[in-house]
Amino acid sequence: MPNISVITVSDRSAAGVRPDKSGPLAVQLLSEFGQTSPATVVPDQVCDITRAIEQAIRGGANIVFTTGGTGISTRDVTPEATAKLVSKRAEGIEAALRNNPKVPAAALSRGIAGVIELDSRRAFIVNAPGSTGGVKDAVGAIGPLISHICEQLLDADHTAPAEKIGMSAHQQATFAVQNRGYNDGSDAQVVFAGLTPEPIDVIALQESVRDPQAGAVVLFDGRVRNHDDGQGVVSIDYEAHPDAGKVVERIARACAKGSGALKLAVVHRYGHLEVGDVAFAAAASAAHRREAFELLEKAVEQVKAELPVWKKQEFTDGSHAWTGSA
């Protein structure tokens, strides 16, 4: 079983000024992937960080997970302390930790990942950010790979195809079943694409894309909500450009082309809508869910981004606002 050591790098936590939250969280999450012990806390000092890493490896750890000190502040020196010990960088892991579209600040992390060789022992180290969110993301990236990493540290042969590494036996079996099909690059049929002033029947829209070949039918049901950016909403009036219907049709056909799905239907409403009314709906079908989901998401996002429709929102306080967004 992998032996995992967690090190928290924080001046304030080391001084007892602030409780360590990221270290215990890392220990908890990593316990699913190996044997863990309570986190060691050290200050933001290169010598202290290096010493803690070396002690962990000499103590039997083959995975060392540090949290904190990866940013660009003056005291952030965890990567510098780690770089002194690493013999082989795992740049793919580093990129995975930094590439998080939902957290732009992740790009500022300078964390290092790689192999450390010390006293004839080999271990793998990962520098995670000090936030609890950063810890969760880092464990999500490294956790499923820990078993395979430990095999490679022992110079073992690959025991599974690359796409199955990190999967349990159940996950591998499910993967095999769910990936028997493939995208043949065929065009989906656009059943309907346009605008309407009438209420949208989402059930009818969903039924319109059903097909005997379809193993997956997915639906997007976008409705007027009762709030927007902290303000209560009463209603929305949509005004459409005369060519808006043609725009929807163009987008639908472009998305359907080469999608490997079967059918697509997209409709946006205009006119006066109350809270709860359907403003935008789309449905897609395919032999397998992946192609259906991908086509639906692509069509919805492109319509939202490109459709020349303007909306006037009436708020509960009597005010209103115009925005140029579907």
Side-chain angles (χ1 to χ4, degrees), residues 23-310:
L25 176 62
V27 170
Q28 175 190 343
L29 296 176
L30 288 166
S31 64
E32 176 183 348
F33 305 100
Q35 180 179 341
T36 59
S37 54
T40 298
V41 183
V42 298
D44 292 274
Q45 294 280 1
V46 169
C47 58
D48 292 308
I49 300 168
T50 301
R51 186 183 305 113
I53 294 170
E54 292 177 337
Q55 289 176 346
I57 296 172
R58 291 192 174 107
N62 41 24
I63 301 292
V64 179
F65 186 97
T66 72
T67 171
T70 63
I72 58 175
S73 297
T74 304
R75 297 288 292 170
D76 289 332
V77 294
T78 302
E80 285 72 21
T82 302
K84 295 172 60 177
L85 303 172
V86 169
S87 59
K88 292 183 179 180
R89 294 276 290 272
E91 293 166 344
I93 295 294
E94 296 173 9
L97 299 185
R98 285 188 269 273
N99 184 21
N100 189 340
K102 296 181 179 179
V103 185
L108 294 175
S109 176
R110 301 182 301 111
I112 286 176
V115 177
I116 295 176
E117 301 187 32
L118 180 68
D119 300 340
S120 72
R121 293 185 59 85
R122 302 183 78 217
F124 192 87
I125 188 166
V126 178
N127 297 155
S131 66
T132 54
V135 167
K136 291 177 182 177
D137 290 340
V139 174
I142 189 69
L145 299 174
I146 285 178
S147 178
H148 182 67
I149 288 172
C150 290
E151 288 180 356
Q152 295 302 291
L153 289 174
L154 297 174
D155 294 327
D157 290 333
H158 292 278
T159 58
E163 68 272 12
K164 296 183 180 179
I165 290 172
M167 293 185 180
S168 66
H170 173 73
Q171 289 172 325
Q172 290 189 27
T174 301
F175 178 89
V177 171
Q178 294 177 344
N179 287 272
R180 288 177 299 182
Y182 64 96
N183 185 340
D184 61 5
S186 60
D187 299 347
Q189 176 190 352
V190 178
V191 177
F192 179 83
L195 271 67
T196 179
E198 302 299 326
I200 298 173
D201 186 339
V202 292
I203 301 301
L205 192 75
Q206 185 177 36
E207 291 300 316
S208 73
V209 301
R210 291 198 182 277
D211 188 281
Q213 300 180 69
V217 175
V218 293
L219 172 71
F220 170 74
D221 179 353
R223 298 180 180 244
V224 177
R225 61 179 180 267
N226 66 356
H227 64 95
D228 186 43
D229 197 23
Q231 288 185 282
V233 172
V234 176
S235 63
I236 294 180
D237 286 275
Y238 286 96
E239 288 195 8
H241 187 278
D243 290 334
K246 295 179 180 178
V247 172
V248 176
E249 184 175 358
R250 172 182 59 78
I251 291 172
R253 296 196 182 282
C255 293
K257 187 175 180 59
S259 65
L262 294 170
K263 294 180 180 179
L264 173 67
V266 184
V267 60
H268 200 290
R269 192 173 168 193
Y270 65 92
H272 182 78
L273 282 74
E274 302 286 342
V275 171
D277 287 344
V278 181
F280 178 26
S285 63
H288 302 278
R289 71 175 182 275
R290 179 178 300 167
E291 288 81 6
F293 276 126
E294 288 177 350
L295 175 56
L296 183 73
E297 181 178 21
K298 186 175 182 179
V300 168
E301 293 303 321
Q302 289 198 16
V303 169
K304 294 285 286 184
E306 300 179 31
L307 185 64
V309 168
W310 296 264

